[in-house]
Amino acid sequence: MPIFIYYQTTAKEWKRAENDAAVPNDALFIWYDFVNASLEESKLLTSQFHFDTLAIEDTVSTISRPKLKEYPDYQFLVCHLINPTDYRAQAINIFMKGHILVTYHQDKLKSIGSMEEVIQKRYLSKEITPVDIAFLILDFIVDSYFDYIYHIEDEVFSFEDRHVNDATDNKLMEDVFRIRSVIIKLKRVLMPMQELIEHLKEEASFTKTKKQRIYIHHIEDHIIKQIHVIKSAQEMTGDIRDNYDSLNSYRLNNVMKILTLVSVIFLPLTLITGIYGMNFWNMPELEWNYGYFSVLTVMLLISIALIVYFKMKKWF
């Protein structure tokens, strides 16, 4: 894909250039946005901008953990977006050098269009610095998390409505573990980003002005809210899982109780049949005309007595 180039003129106007040659030499600010860059385009990071080899390797070949790294003549910032397909981290690498901002990422940012509108309104007749746009990108990244956070929150709150008519528990638990899997993936993006924002808040070279310090607190408030929501959703799914385990235990205990009572009722009956099943010659009851009916009567009375006893104890 091509490299998108934006710049600010000496008249404080925000414009887009078709190529590097179209950027005026007196531009106050230039933004090079590398989107899914080819190998040849990636080489410009070295040949044109002279960035550190290790930083370029982190940018092109790997997904680095969110961080801010200081170099003698520029700063290197790594932020993470959320991939909408699998909720994994997508790195946005930001280089800030003098009046030049270079961003490198794999997919086109959906919010670039709205970011242009914000830049034109917020920095109308004001000079733009790379750190200003870096703050704006960071804000847009953190705000983009809300779509995923609110979606998972809605799934948790609507959980009961979705499963009220489920005939089996398997589908219910599959949904619980699916939601918890998404929550874990989201936390793997949010937690490192929160650490990065806390670091930026204390980094004097990044938050130089009072306005920037207020802005970073604004961004921090958003991610703290998101983490609270995601933790609450995780706790609720944990409660659902625990309730399911408790319900299963309750059901199993009831089954075991019934089986135990049935076993207790049949135990003396089995004892009697076992005794008279030995067939010794000196057992007079075997030759008694009413022996069979008498034993059946005794067994019936024992069964009734045990059932009545269990009813009195409210074990049934």
Side-chain angles (χ1 to χ4, degrees):
M1 292 183 67
I3 301 172
F4 299 92
I5 304 175
Y6 309 88
Y7 66 94
Q8 186 183 40
T9 66
T10 53
K12 307 295 193 317
E13 295 177 340
W14 180 258
K15 293 189 176 183
R16 179 175 171 179
E18 294 298 325
N19 51 58
D20 199 22
V23 179
N25 294 328
D26 59 353
L28 299 177
F29 169 79
I30 309 173
W31 177 9
Y32 296 89
D33 188 30
F34 288 71
V35 182
N36 197 15
S38 64
L39 183 60
E40 291 299 320
E41 291 170 338
S42 299
K43 290 180 179 178
L44 293 176
L45 297 175
T46 303
S47 61
Q48 181 172 338
F49 302 106
H50 309 291
F51 295 138
D52 182 76
T53 305
L54 293 177
I56 295 173
E57 183 180 344
D58 287 345
T59 300
V60 176
S61 305
T62 62
I63 298 179
S64 300
R65 187 177 178 85
K67 63 183 177 181
L68 174 68
K69 194 169 183 179
E70 299 280 348
Y71 290 90
D73 57 343
Y74 66 92
Q75 293 175 307
F76 177 47
L77 177 66
V78 180
C79 304
H80 281 175
L81 273 171
I82 296 175
N83 189 316
T85 57
D86 58 7
Y87 302 99
R88 298 188 184 276
Q90 282 184 308
I92 296 184
N93 305 277
I94 304 172
F95 297 87
M96 294 161 282
K97 183 177 183 179
H99 69 291
I100 295 174
L101 178 77
V102 178
T103 53
Y104 189 104
H105 48 96
Q106 294 302 317
D107 297 318
K108 184 173 174 56
L109 296 176
K110 295 180 180 179
S111 56
I112 283 291
S114 55
M115 285 179 62
E116 288 189 65
E117 296 176 5
V118 172
I119 291 171
Q120 290 174 355
K121 292 178 181 179
R122 186 176 297 178
Y123 297 101
L124 182 65
S125 302
K126 296 180 182 178
E127 188 172 343
I128 303 173
T129 67
V131 174
D132 291 330
I133 305 303
F135 266 107
L136 190 59
I137 293 173
L138 185 62
D139 189 19
F140 270 79
I141 288 173
V142 172
D143 284 349
S144 71
Y145 297 161
F146 278 113
D147 293 337
Y148 306 98
I149 299 299
Y150 287 147
H151 174 70
I152 205 69
E153 184 182 38
D154 290 341
E155 284 210 329
V156 172
F157 285 136
S158 63
F159 185 88
E160 183 176 352
D161 294 334
R162 293 201 311 275
H163 294 283
V164 66
N165 295 320
D166 281 350
T168 63
D169 296 329
N170 292 338
K171 187 175 180 181
L172 182 146
M173 289 310 297
E174 286 176 4
D175 201 18
V176 169
F177 286 115
R178 180 188 60 80
I179 293 174
R180 288 182 66 84
S181 175
V182 173
I183 289 174
I184 291 171
K185 290 176 182 177
L186 292 177
K187 287 181 70 175
R188 290 181 65 181
V189 177
L190 264 65
M191 301 302 285
M193 282 295 291
Q194 184 188 31
E195 294 175 6
L196 171 66
I197 292 170
E198 290 177 353
H199 174 65
L200 296 180
K201 189 174 64 174
E202 306 297 330
E203 188 60 53
S205 62
F206 192 77
T207 53
K208 295 180 181 180
T209 66
K210 181 179 179 181
K211 186 177 181 180
Q212 290 172 342
R213 288 192 290 271
I214 293 174
Y215 203 173
I216 198 69
H217 279 287
H218 163 78
I219 297 172
E220 184 185 35
D221 289 341
H222 282 189
I223 201 164
I224 288 174
K225 178 181 179 180
Q226 292 163 355
I227 289 176
H228 285 169
V229 171
I230 208 72
K231 285 183 176 179
S232 176
Q234 188 174 31
E235 289 174 0
M236 291 179 69
T237 55
D239 291 340
I240 293 171
R241 184 190 59 190
D242 293 342
N243 290 339
Y244 173 79
D245 291 338
S246 298
L247 179 60
N248 270 353
S249 297
Y250 172 76
R251 290 172 177 173
L252 181 61
N253 288 338
N254 277 341
V255 171
M256 293 303 297
K257 182 173 70 174
I258 296 299
L259 292 177
T260 302
L261 293 177
V262 170
S263 300
V264 170
I265 291 172
F266 278 91
L267 185 62
L269 309 184
T270 305
L271 176 63
I272 293 174
T273 57
I275 292 173
Y276 285 101
M278 293 185 290
N279 294 322
F280 289 116
W281 289 108
N282 60 348
M283 295 177 67
E285 293 89 350
L286 295 178
E287 298 178 359
W288 185 32
N289 291 335
Y290 301 102
Y292 173 72
F293 300 103
S294 299
V295 171
L296 286 181
T297 302
V298 171
M299 294 171 69
L300 180 62
L301 291 175
I302 291 174
S303 300
I304 294 173
L306 288 174
I307 292 173
V308 170
Y309 176 76
F310 293 149
K311 281 286 188 180
M312 292 176 58
K313 290 290 185 178
K314 297 182 179 180
W315 290 353
F316 272 123

